[in-house]
């Protein structure tokens, strides 16, 4: 009985991290298409854009990606500091951090609804900062929960594992579902984010906020289920 309950909790954590992976795809679509080619969650993309922009490539921004990079690190530092004293897994602190992410995204969505389009400078950079900081906080919190192969913000290592451990590469088995789901969901999130941009720039951020808040709620409830005494 105890083993089954723990397995259900692990499966729930996987489902919640996959949901957050989807929301990251939505946020990155908003950042790249709606905020001047900036990734809020995928820092590899920002580093590449920044490198090309500094090399003189035409029509590539450098202020936004650089700001997003430092903001993401800022959010991750906060997450690491808050979670350092507690054991890995879902705790009350992880719930609060995910709630903070959801609240920040909600506030940004409201701001974007008010602007009714791409915000003017310097507000665009301010929104970029808080969006990336929220994603950094999310990434650090997800890292503490430690669901294998699902970081919620990048899938490069997941794709590598999916290919390197496949039967074509001589592998004998792998957690293919979680890896494939993470890859598909971040792409699906990006697609949904792009479609929501047709309605307005705030809708994608609002959708990501909803997913995050629901994930925080379900994760918190599951973390406080009492195991029976073995």
């Amino acid at each position: 009985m105890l083993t089954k309950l723990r397995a259900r909790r692990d499966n729930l954590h996987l489902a919640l991290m996959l949901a957050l992976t989807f929301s990251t795809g939505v946020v990155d679509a908003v950042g790249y298409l709606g905020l001047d080619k900036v990734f809020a969650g995928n820092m590899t993309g920002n580093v590449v854009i920044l490198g090309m922009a500094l090399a003189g490539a035409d029509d590539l921004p450098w202020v936004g990606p650089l700001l997003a990079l430092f903001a993401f690190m800022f959010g991750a530092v906060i997450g690491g500091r808050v979670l350092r004293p507690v054991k890995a897994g879902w705790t009350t602190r992880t719930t609060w951090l995910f709630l903070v992410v959801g609240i920040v995204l909600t506030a940004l969505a409201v701001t974007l609804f008010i602007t009714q389009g791409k915000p003017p400078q310097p507000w665009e950079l301010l929104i970029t900062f808080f969006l990336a900081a929220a994603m950094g906080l999310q990434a650090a919190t997800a890292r503490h929960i430690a669901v294998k192969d699902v970081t919620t913000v990048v899938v490069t290592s997941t794709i590598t594992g999916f290919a390197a451990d496949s039967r074509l590469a001589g592998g004998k088995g792998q957690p293919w579902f979680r890896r494939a789901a993470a890859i598909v969901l971040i792409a699906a999130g990006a697609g949904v984010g792009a479609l929501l941009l047709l309605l307005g720039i705030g809708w994608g951020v609002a959708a990501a906020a909803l997913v995050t808040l629901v994930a925080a709620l379900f994760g918190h409830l599951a973390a406080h289920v009492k195991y029976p005494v073995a």
Side-chain angles (χ1 to χ4, degrees):
M1 182 66 176
L2 182 59
T3 301
K4 289 183 179 180
L5 286 173
R6 285 176 175 167
R8 288 178 182 175
R9 182 174 293 180
D10 289 343
N11 289 336
L12 176 61
H13 288 172
L14 171 61
L16 296 179
M17 295 305 100
L18 289 174
L20 292 175
T21 302
F22 172 84
S23 70
T24 297
V26 175
V27 169
D28 271 343
V30 172
Y32 190 82
L33 299 175
L35 295 175
D36 197 23
K37 298 179 180 178
V38 173
F39 291 104
N42 181 10
M43 290 302 110
T44 302
N46 282 333
V47 171
V48 172
I49 291 174
L50 185 59
M52 292 187 294
L54 293 177
D58 293 336
D59 300 325
L60 286 178
W62 65 269
V63 176
L66 184 63
L67 180 65
L69 179 61
F70 281 105
F72 185 93
M73 293 172 65
F74 173 74
V77 166
I78 293 176
R81 173 72 67 175
V82 172
L83 295 171
R84 188 74 57 197
V86 299
K87 64 180 180 179
W90 200 297
T91 65
T92 301
R93 292 194 182 198
T94 60
T95 297
W96 277 109
L97 290 179
F98 280 136
L99 283 175
V100 169
V101 173
I103 291 169
V104 170
L105 292 178
T106 301
L108 292 175
V110 171
T111 302
L112 290 169
F113 283 133
I114 293 173
T115 62
Q116 297 182 344
K118 184 177 179 180
Q121 296 292 4
W123 300 110
E124 182 183 25
L125 293 178
L126 191 63
I127 289 173
T128 296
F129 177 87
F130 281 107
L131 200 59
M135 291 296 98
L137 183 58
Q138 174 185 296
T141 308
R143 181 174 181 267
H144 187 80
I145 294 172
V147 174
K148 185 177 175 59
D149 295 317
V150 185
T151 68
T152 77
V153 292
V154 292
V155 293
T156 303
S157 59
T158 305
I159 293 171
T160 302
F162 190 78
D165 294 337
S166 67
R167 295 191 181 278
L168 287 175
K172 299 184 181 299
Q174 63 169 306
W176 65 269
F177 173 78
R178 70 176 59 202
R179 290 176 174 178
I183 297 166
V184 170
L185 283 172
I186 201 168
V192 169
L195 291 174
L196 288 174
L197 274 171
L198 299 177
L199 300 177
I201 190 171
W203 286 105
V205 180
L210 178 61
V211 170
T212 305
L213 292 172
V214 170
L217 173 62
F218 277 93
H220 183 75
L221 293 176
H224 288 79
V225 172
K226 299 297 184 182
Y227 287 140
V229 178

